[in-house]
Amino acid sequence: VSNALVAGTVYTNAQPNITSLGTLTSLTVSGTSNSANVNLNKFNETVVAGGSISGTITPDASAGTIYEYTLTGNITLNSLNNSVAGTSMTIILTQDSTGNRTLTSSMKFQGGAKTLSTTANTTDIMFVFYDGTNYYATLTKGYV
């Protein structure tokens, strides 16, 4: 297909290169083992401003892959909404001007380390991966 606006599903025989200009809302590439390589240029993830939070949170994987929150109270984070096997997410947690906010979670943290920085206005970053059964998380701390 050349110089055409196409909506819907386009099927082609094997092609060495396919270029799309504009926005793709969904793309599935399939082929035999190791033949369906996809190269992404200028890839940006969606950042969701979660605002000020406390209590139980469940970021929505269908809305974005990066969430930013300001903690105004203690939080509980046990799962991600709309996650499927292979879902990953970055969660940026910033203490408010009071600080001392804590995290409770049933996720499996690398080394068991899931204690947040408690200094006011300090940022910690969680990386979460869901394998279809378990949530695996790492926590990097103390960004000021």
Side-chain angles (χ1 to χ4, degrees), residues 5 12-15 28 33 42 51 68 72 75 82 90 102 116 124-126 133-134:
L5 176 60
T12 71
N13 292 327
Q15 300 295 320
T28 301
S33 64
K42 298 181 182 177
E68 297 178 316
T72 57
I75 62 167
N82 295 307
T90 302
T102 63
L116 298 176
D124 297 341
I125 301 176
M126 283 180 59
T133 303
N134 297 296

Side-chain angles (χ1 to χ4, degrees), residues 30-80:
S30 60
T32 58
S33 64
N34 296 325
S35 68
N37 296 320
V38 177
N39 295 317
L40 302 174
N41 295 320
K42 298 181 182 177
F43 173 73
N44 294 309
E45 296 181 77
T46 301
V47 179
V48 178
S52 298
I53 55 137
S54 65
T56 300
I57 63 171
T58 51
D60 187 351
S62 68
T65 53
I66 301 172
Y67 273 77
E68 297 178 316
Y69 295 109
T70 299
L71 306 183
T72 57
N74 299 335
I75 62 167
T76 300
L77 173 59
N78 294 320
S79 63
L80 307 174

Side-chain angles (χ1 to χ4, degrees), residues 74-97:
N74 299 335
I75 62 167
T76 300
L77 173 59
N78 294 320
S79 63
L80 307 174
N81 278 341
N82 295 307
S83 58
V84 296
T87 297
S88 61
M89 184 178 288
T90 302
I91 303 170
I92 302 167
L93 303 169
T94 302
Q95 295 282 348
D96 63 6
S97 60

